[in-house]
């Protein structure tokens, strides 16, 4: 029994380490920052699929802290913790608790994204981009919100596809380990 716990902790630590590597890459290659943030969010998602929230939330926190320390910076680390790392765990929670209620699930997902968007917008405006007030006009914020919701729905769809792919390819392997 103790051997299984050690394997689970090690798997969660590996997921956190991979998330930290992708977060560190956001500082090295800033042109692909959003892609690396989304890729970093897949590792706590994998820990949540395989092991559950008991292991995925510490993997999320450890990956976010390590990524922030090794190059993601304040903005990347904050975006990972608020949206890209935590949303897949929240998505699995919703799908597990509210199965069959697709309209409610979709509304709660969009509520999550818009709340995260608001937090990131206020934080970016006050902490990181305080001298560029002309960028945050009401029209720009609204257009980014509409575009962000569309991209978010695509991201959510791709996470669902990733879930099916992970289970179809690796379910037997994960079951043999844990």
């Amino acid at each position: 029994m103790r051997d299984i716990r050690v394997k689970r902790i090690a798997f969660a630590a590996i997921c956190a380490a991979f998330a930290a590597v992708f977060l560190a890459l956001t500082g090295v290659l800033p042109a692909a920052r959003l892609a690396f943030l989304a890729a970093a969010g897949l590792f706590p998602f994998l820990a949540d699929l395989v092991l559950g929230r008991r292991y995925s939330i510490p993997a999320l926190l450890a990956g976010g802290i390590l990524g922030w320390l090794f190059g993601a910076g304040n903005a990347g680390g904050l975006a990972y913790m608020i949206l890209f790392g935590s949303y897949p765990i929240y998505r699995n929670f919703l799908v597990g608790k509210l199965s069959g209620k697709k309209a409610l699930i979709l509304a709660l997902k969009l509520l999550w994204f818009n709340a995260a968007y608001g937090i990131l917008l206020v934080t970016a405006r006050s902490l990181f981009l305080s001298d560029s007030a002309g960028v945050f006009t009401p029209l720009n914020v609204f257009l980014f919100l509409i575009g962000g919701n569309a991209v978010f729905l695509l991201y959510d769809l791709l996470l669902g596809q990733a879930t099916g792919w992970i289970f179809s390819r690796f379910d037997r392997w994960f079951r043999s380990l844990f």
Side-chain angles (χ1 to χ4, degrees), residues 66-141:
L66 288 172
W68 177 73
L69 288 173
F70 293 120
N74 295 334
L78 187 65
Y80 171 77
M81 297 296 278
I82 291 176
L83 181 63
F84 291 102
S86 60
Y87 172 71
I89 296 170
Y90 175 72
R91 182 188 187 281
N92 283 346
F93 174 76
L94 283 181
V95 171
K97 293 292 182 184
L98 301 173
S99 61
K101 300 178 182 178
K102 292 186 179 188
L104 179 61
I105 290 173
L106 181 63
L108 289 172
K109 288 176 183 179
L110 287 172
L111 183 66
W112 176 278
F113 171 73
N114 288 312
Y117 174 80
I119 291 169
L120 290 173
L121 179 72
V122 168
T123 306
R125 187 171 183 188
S126 63
L127 294 179
F128 306 121
L129 302 171
S130 59
D131 59 340
S132 61
V135 174
F136 294 104
T137 63
L139 179 63
N140 286 348
V141 171

Side-chain angles (χ1 to χ4, degrees), residues 7-23:
K7 285 182 183 179
R8 288 179 180 167
I9 291 170
F11 185 76
I14 290 169
C15 288
F18 276 118
V21 166
F22 278 92
L23 284 173

Side-chain angles (χ1 to χ4, degrees), residues 160-174:
Q161 296 294 321
T163 305
W165 184 80
I166 288 168
F167 276 119
S168 70
R169 299 280 185 192
F170 300 107
D171 188 44
R172 289 185 304 189
W173 187 71
F174 287 137

